[in-house]
């Protein structure tokens, strides 16, 4: 059964990667994805703390997913910026974007706990035990970041490190565009 599950995950990853255009749209890290302007894949999982998570219940909120591995050098480098981003968004109260880390399959949960304990970050960390979330989003290499609007539609895919001000600015651009009906 495990071999079948692994084969399905790898097959799904191959399918998503084969359909995605990973050409960098510009030097900033924004890349194409077949998910853009479409409803985000269903995400039902648990957090590192054991709480249930269902992306469908986040409708009405801006959501940012950051795909991560505790051994990833660029993930380590961008982490202080993500802490800053979360602080920026929390300063907006209910209007701020919700931020979630999505783990890669095989990342040691003890290493992840140690990473966040020593480096900070007090937002939900989503488990992806079978790799389905990473496959559904077409994640090729971490870190990758997705912005999902309050209707559950994927608005942006960012490959590589991102800084707090850029990510906040992108969320605000989409928020402004939505406010004027764009």
């Amino acid at each position: 059964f495990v071999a079948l599950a692994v084969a399905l995950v790898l097959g799904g990853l191959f399918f998503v990667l084969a359909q995605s255009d990973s050409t960098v749209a510009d030097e900033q890290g924004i890349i194409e994805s077949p998910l853009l302007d479409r409803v985000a894949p269903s995400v039902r999982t648990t957090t590192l703390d054991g709480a249930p998570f269902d992306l469908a219940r986040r409708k009405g909120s801006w959501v940012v997913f950051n795909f991560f591995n505790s051994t990833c050098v660029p993930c380590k480098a961008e982490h202080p910026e993500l802490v800053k981003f979360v602080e920026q968004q929390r300063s907006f109260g209910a209007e701020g974007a919700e931020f979630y880390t999505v783990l890669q399959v095989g990342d040691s949960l003890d290493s992840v706990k140690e990473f966040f304990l020593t480096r900070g970050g007090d937002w939900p960390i989503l488990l992806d035990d079978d790799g389905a979330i990473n496959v559904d989003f077409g994640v090729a290499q971490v870190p990758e970041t997705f912005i999902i609007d309050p209707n559950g539609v994927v608005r942006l895919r960012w490959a590589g490190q991102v800084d707090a001000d850029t990510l906040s600015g992108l969320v605000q651009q989409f928020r402004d565009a939505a406010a004027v009906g764009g």
Side-chain angles (χ1 to χ4, degrees):
F1 177 75
V2 172
L4 176 61
V6 170
L8 287 173
V9 167
L10 291 175
L13 179 60
F14 177 78
F15 175 77
V16 169
L17 291 176
Q19 287 195 345
S20 72
D21 176 10
S22 62
T23 306
V24 175
D26 59 31
E27 296 81 38
Q28 296 180 338
I30 298 171
I31 62 173
E32 291 297 318
S33 169
L35 297 176
L36 294 180
D37 300 323
R38 294 196 169 130
V39 173
S42 175
V43 176
R44 295 181 76 184
T45 187
T46 57
T47 67
L48 188 61
D49 297 330
F53 176 84
D54 184 351
L55 180 59
R57 293 183 168 266
R58 308 307 338 134
K59 287 211 174 153
S61 299
W62 287 90
V63 172
V64 177
F65 275 179
N66 178 260
F67 289 82
F68 164 93
N69 187 297
S70 64
T71 63
C72 158
V73 173
C75 295
K76 292 176 184 179
E78 91 172 337
H79 191 76
E81 291 294 320
L82 299 179
V83 171
K84 182 179 172 186
F85 171 76
V86 170
E87 290 170 358
Q88 289 171 342
Q89 294 304 304
R90 286 182 178 161
S91 73
F92 296 128
E95 298 299 313
E98 297 178 12
F99 186 81
Y100 300 91
T101 290
V102 183
L103 297 181
Q104 275 193 314
V105 173
D107 199 353
S108 160
L109 298 186
D110 288 338
S111 295
V112 171
K113 289 175 186 176
E114 179 67 21
F115 182 96
F116 279 85
L117 183 64
T118 60
R119 296 172 187 258
D122 63 345
W123 54 82
I125 301 166
L126 305 180
L127 302 180
D128 189 12
D129 295 329
D130 61 2
I133 301 169
N134 278 262
V135 169
D136 289 347
F137 277 81
V139 174
Q141 183 175 341
V142 292
E144 281 196 26
T145 304
F146 290 79
I147 297 174
I148 302 166
D149 75 14
N151 295 314
V153 174
V154 176
R155 294 296 171 199
L156 179 106
R157 177 183 182 191
W158 183 283
Q161 290 177 233
V162 66
D163 65 78
D165 293 338
T166 299
L167 190 52
S168 285
L170 289 165
V171 170
Q172 191 59 46
Q173 284 177 3
F174 287 111
R175 184 180 283 125
D176 292 346
V180 295

